[in-house]
Amino acid sequence: DTAVSQTPKYLVTQMGNDKSIKCEQNLGHDTMYWYKQDSKKFLKIMFSYNNKELIINETVPNRFSPKSPDKAHLNLHINSLELGDSAVYFCASSPTYNSPLHFGNGTRLTVT
Amino acid sequence: RKEVEQDPGPFNVPEGATVAFNCTYSNSASQSFFWYRQDCRKEPKLLMSVYSSGNEDGRFTAQLNRASQYISLLIRDSKLSDSATYLCVVWGAAGNKLTFGGGTRVLVKP
């Protein structure tokens, strides 16, 4: 199946831990993204990569570090997790930077 | 003023009725416009792009009004399955990126 897939789907962890979320797309898209959707349901862009190069880095704490080993993968590592990091994190991809997005099915992160 | 604004709703719609709602954007230089649909606890999915001349896809009609800086979505003959949150997405509203509105919740009832 052609898709954007991210793992894990659910992540429950304690404050202070470090965790990673993985994302892969087999759509052949050049651009990949990480979005955060908080409890108020606003979707905010965190990072965008185009062909493995970082092109958007919004005001995100540097505890969040994206890594793109190749253009089909964009992983998100989070250090020293805080309660406020609890949210749904969506990976997405698009053919170019201004095309519609294809989303993964989200990772629901709960920090206790 | 937010870059992309939507009425959060909910819009309670009888099955079979027509519902329409708008999305305003603050940057007149915005270039591309889209409507996405998001079901509860699911990922957003592209519903339709919005073209300058307006466009239709089945029961859904999207319009762009550049002069007043808004886009609209009209749903005809509403189905129960149309219940969802509809997200307005604008390219160029705040820099070279896609900006999402907060969504309009639509509840279609029998």
Side-chain angles (χ1 to χ4, degrees), chain B residues 7-109:
Chain B
D7 182 338
F11 285 63
N12 293 300
V13 185
E15 195 175 5
T18 295
V19 61
F21 42 88
N22 295 338
C23 163
T24 59
Y25 58 95
S26 58
N27 188 346
S28 61
S30 298
Q31 296 175 28
S32 306
F33 307 87
F34 310 94
W35 283 106
Y36 277 71
R37 170 196 170 124
Q38 186 173 25
D39 294 293
C40 189
R41 301 178 83 85
K42 298 279 191 183
E43 74 275 22
K45 291 184 179 174
L46 178 67
L47 180 65
M48 58 198 301
S49 301
V50 185
Y51 302 121
S52 298
S53 54
N55 48 299
E56 196 173 293
D57 183 359
R59 298 180 294 107
F60 297 83
T61 301
Q63 298 276 0
L64 167 63
N65 185 319
R66 282 199 181 273
S68 301
Q69 293 180 209
Y70 72 87
I71 64 171
S72 63
L73 183 67
L74 182 145
I75 308 173
R76 279 187 303 279
D77 187 22
S78 298
K79 311 289 184 196
L80 296 176
S81 57
D82 294 334
S83 297
T85 297
Y86 291 85
L87 299 166
C88 167
V89 186
V90 179
W91 166 265
N96 292 332
K97 61 185 179 186
L98 290 169
T99 300
F100 283 74
T104 295
R105 193 159 169 234
V106 171
L107 294 172
V108 182
K109 300 188 173 177

Side-chain angles (χ1 to χ4, degrees), chain A residues 3-19:
Chain A
V4 179
S5 56
Q6 56 182 108
T7 55
K9 191 166 182 177
Y10 299 97
L11 189 49
V12 181
T13 188
Q14 291 185 326
M15 282 174 56
N17 285 347
D18 303 339
K19 290 293 177 186

